Amino acid sequence: MLRIEELAQATIASWCTSGLAECVTELGLHLHELRGDRIAFSQEIERARAIYAQPSDNDIEIDDEPFVAPASGGVWVAAWLWVPKDAAAQGGDAHG
């Protein structure tokens, strides 16, 4: 489960308890961190669009504000991959 989902669920679970303020604060800090990563890696996000999404014939899409995960030597950029129903059912390659 994504950290943001964990934090959101903890916030909802504590809605009627004394821990709500702490959960909301932690959620806010994590959201701020996610936004900071997107800003810090904005050039890499644009490179991912240019290298993968634009030439893909709309089979790969990257959100305006995608999740990113810094890694050694680069950054992971979240993308949407199109999988046609027939290719998914057959377990085959969508391109051939």
Side-chain angles (χ1 to χ4, degrees):
M1 181 180 321
L2 294 174
R3 179 75 176 136
I4 187 135
E5 291 173 336
E6 292 172 358
L7 293 169
Q9 287 181 349
T11 301
I12 292 166
S14 67
W15 194 256
C16 294
T17 68
S18 61
L20 179 59
E22 182 181 338
C23 288
V24 170
T25 298
E26 190 173 354
L27 177 59
L29 291 172
H30 186 66
L31 290 170
H32 183 74
E33 181 182 322
L34 291 174
R35 179 154 176 72
D37 284 347
R38 281 194 300 273
I39 291 168
F41 294 104
S42 60
Q43 290 180 345
E44 288 82 355
I45 293 169
E46 289 308 314
R47 283 182 43 221
R49 285 189 179 105
I51 294 169
Y52 299 103
Q54 291 170 357
S56 76
D57 195 30
N58 294 321
D59 288 341
I60 300 173
E61 295 185 12
I62 298 174
D63 288 340
D64 291 338
E65 294 188 9
F67 283 107
V68 295
S72 177
V75 62
W76 291 97
V77 176
W80 293 95
L81 307 176
W82 173 250
V83 179
K85 287 183 181 181
D86 46 303
Q90 297 174 6
D93 182 2
H95 295 288

